[in-house]
Amino acid sequence: FTNQQSAKADALRANPRASMTVYWHAILKQVQLAGPVEPLADDENDAYFATRPRGSQIGAWASAQSRPLESRQALLDAVAQQEQRFADVDPIPRPPHWGGYRIVADEVEIWHDGESRIHHRERFTKTDNGWEMRLLQP
């Protein structure tokens, strides 16, 4: 989720692919997925925005994310202005310039830690017939 006018959103529009990696140290495993990115629908954005803390909702209205900032005080003043604007509003509506993206995975890699760096790696690639699995060198 991001300001749709941010550098992150600009990058996703220019190259609508992304990847993410999650590492679980406790179980020594990692999952990475990659694929095309698609914007979420308004109802999905609204539902998620409603779960965010009120301060984060105010911040989404106050911040022109990724744009140059005159001073820290200018940002604090913008936050105070939005707090005043929404003082008697509950719930705070989602800003029209704020929304999320979904990675539609077409590749998933599962990595299992191995002794002496002899890891076990499986890569799943989406094909027209389902998912194909290949083992990878560590």
Side-chain angles (χ1 to χ4, degrees), residues 26-83:
I27 61 172
L28 301 175
K29 291 187 181 183
Q30 173 177 291
V31 175
Q32 180 181 46
L33 57 93
V37 174
E38 63 185 26
L40 297 180
D42 284 342
D43 61 333
E44 293 172 289
N45 288 323
D46 291 342
Y48 178 70
F49 189 79
T51 71
R52 294 173 58 93
R54 188 173 177 87
S56 294
Q57 293 174 339
I58 294 288
W61 279 98
S63 173
Q65 185 178 337
S66 302
R67 295 220 171 95
L69 181 61
E70 177 185 317
S71 68
R72 178 83 178 156
Q73 189 59 51
L75 176 60
L76 297 176
D77 291 347
V79 169
Q81 183 180 44
Q82 295 302 324
E83 285 174 339

Side-chain angles (χ1 to χ4, degrees), residues 1-2 4 12-13 36-49 52 94-104:
F1 292 89
T2 191
Q4 299 294 314
L12 287 171
R13 276 189 294 279
V37 174
E38 63 185 26
L40 297 180
D42 284 342
D43 61 333
E44 293 172 289
N45 288 323
D46 291 342
Y48 178 70
F49 189 79
R52 294 173 58 93
R94 176 181 60 88
H97 59 268
W98 190 94
Y101 296 88
R102 172 184 297 112
I103 300 173
V104 182

Side-chain angles (χ1 to χ4, degrees), residues 5 20-21 24-25 42 51 68 74 93 102 106 110 113 126 130:
Q5 299 161 345
M20 64 176 278
T21 303
W24 288 279
H25 179 72
D42 284 342
T51 71
R102 172 184 297 112
D106 57 16
I110 301 173
D113 186 38
K126 193 171 189 176

Side-chain angles (χ1 to χ4, degrees), residues 85-131:
R85 175 182 176 196
F86 292 111
D88 297 324
V89 177
D90 187 32
I92 295 175
R94 176 181 60 88
H97 59 268
W98 190 94
Y101 296 88
R102 172 184 297 112
I103 300 173
V104 182
D106 57 16
E107 188 173 278
V108 177
E109 183 178 321
I110 301 173
W111 174 94
H112 310 264
D113 186 38
E115 188 174 323
S116 300
R117 294 194 41 82
I118 307 300
H119 311 304
H120 182 83
R121 291 175 62 195
E122 301 168 321
R123 178 174 293 150
F124 298 84
T125 304
K126 193 171 189 176
T127 69
D128 291 338
N129 299 321
W131 290 85

